[in-house]
Amino acid sequence: MPSMSGAAGVYIDRPPEAVFGVLADPDNWPEVNRGVTLRTTRVHGDPSRPLAGGDVFVEHAAGPEGAGDFEFPWNVQESTPNTRLIIASRAELGPGHHCFQVITFEFAPSGPGTAYTRTIRVDFPEGTLEAASKDQAGSFQEYMGQQYTMAMKLKAHVEGQG
């Protein structure tokens, strides 16, 4: 199965509980991922608490121009407060075409702040990338390379809150 992956790590000058708290509330995502996440919708789980294992939410994300928007139904595979958050999604790329994504967010104490790491892996069933539109395939390749940008957006958001 073909796959793509990307990772980035940054230091955030806030404690792990502050960084985890932002990402474990998908209502924050449109602000953190401005221009990418349009909105989120909780499907399963208590919205008054941080995400927990078994919770489900949908991320409505902007696609490349002309390709429309994407919907990613995220399932929380692991939520270890202030340490790790793992979400997984089976995303539709068009009629009969899909991919599987896993994003791992890790938070480690580092001095007064957090060593934050974001890792994504996307698996494509055989023939999916070849059948996807050029815009869709290019969008995923571009997204893999933007993990540092996404980590820096989180850093700016969290540090701007304190």
Side-chain angles (χ1 to χ4, degrees), residues 14-160:
R14 295 289 180 271
E17 55 271 13
V19 183
F20 179 86
V22 168
L23 279 180
D25 180 355
D27 289 343
N28 290 322
W29 287 31
E31 183 69 27
V32 173
N33 300 324
R34 201 178 290 244
V36 177
T37 302
L38 303 172
R39 68 187 181 288
T40 60
T41 307
R42 291 248 192 157
V43 176
H44 179 73
D46 181 353
S48 69
R49 62 157 168 75
L51 291 169
D55 286 358
V56 177
F57 67 98
V58 176
E59 177 186 15
H60 306 269
E65 195 169 317
D69 297 339
F70 294 111
E71 286 189 3
F72 300 113
W74 293 107
N75 296 283
V76 179
Q77 292 186 326
E78 179 186 337
S79 181
T80 305
N82 312 326
T83 303
R84 181 178 295 121
L85 178 65
I86 301 175
I87 59 175
S89 177
R90 179 183 189 272
E92 297 298 323
L93 300 177
H97 301 288
H98 59 274
C99 67
F100 303 96
Q101 305 177 82
V102 176
I103 303 179
T104 302
F105 305 101
E106 295 181 294
F107 317 86
S110 179
T114 303
Y116 166 71
T117 305
R118 171 193 174 96
T119 305
I120 185 169
R121 188 189 79 241
V122 182
D123 297 323
F124 300 90
E126 291 296 333
T128 300
L129 282 174
E130 294 80 7
S133 73
K134 186 177 178 180
D135 286 342
Q136 285 178 324
S139 177
F140 272 98
Q141 290 172 343
E142 184 177 319
Y143 183 56
M144 295 302 108
Q146 290 187 353
Q147 297 312 297
Y148 180 74
T149 300
M150 302 296 283
M152 290 301 290
K153 285 183 174 190
L154 176 66
K155 174 182 173 70
H157 179 81
V158 174
E159 290 180 353

